Amino acid sequence: MKLMPLHDRVVLRRVPQERTTAAGSVFPDTAGEKPDEGEVIAIGPGRRLEDGRLCAPDVNVGDRVLFGPAP
């Protein structure tokens, strides 16, 4: 299935975070927060400006990005 987001939206795949510390301690999945890093897998065409031109997003497929919680 191929996803094609609309406007200036992107589709991300969460990147799993390292669950071990430098000392070698391993954290279980329930102890940590959800990762806030993802890989871009699809990009919309961009948003329309007031004069009708298309403003393309600054990211590309395959880029790794940081994101915040959804509002």
Side-chain angles (χ1 to χ4, degrees), residues 40-64:
V40 178
I41 59 172
I43 304 171
R47 64 182 171 97
R48 291 273 173 198
L49 301 175
E50 291 179 8
D51 62 0
R53 291 184 296 138
L54 191 63
C55 180
D58 292 334
V59 296
N60 296 314
V61 173
D63 287 352
R64 290 180 85 157

Side-chain angles (χ1 to χ4, degrees), residues 1-16:
M1 175 167 85
K2 183 177 178 181
L3 296 173
M4 182 58 158
L6 299 174
H7 308 297
D8 60 348
R9 308 287 189 189
V10 296
V11 178
L12 300 174
R13 177 182 298 130
R14 286 188 187 269
V15 175

Side-chain angles (χ1 to χ4, degrees), residues 15-50:
V15 175
Q17 289 185 334
E18 206 50 46
R19 296 284 185 200
T20 58
T21 64
S25 299
V26 177
F27 293 108
D29 290 336
T30 57
E33 298 177 2
K34 289 186 175 181
D36 56 356
E37 184 177 353
E39 179 183 356
V40 178
I41 59 172
I43 304 171
R47 64 182 171 97
R48 291 273 173 198
L49 301 175
E50 291 179 8

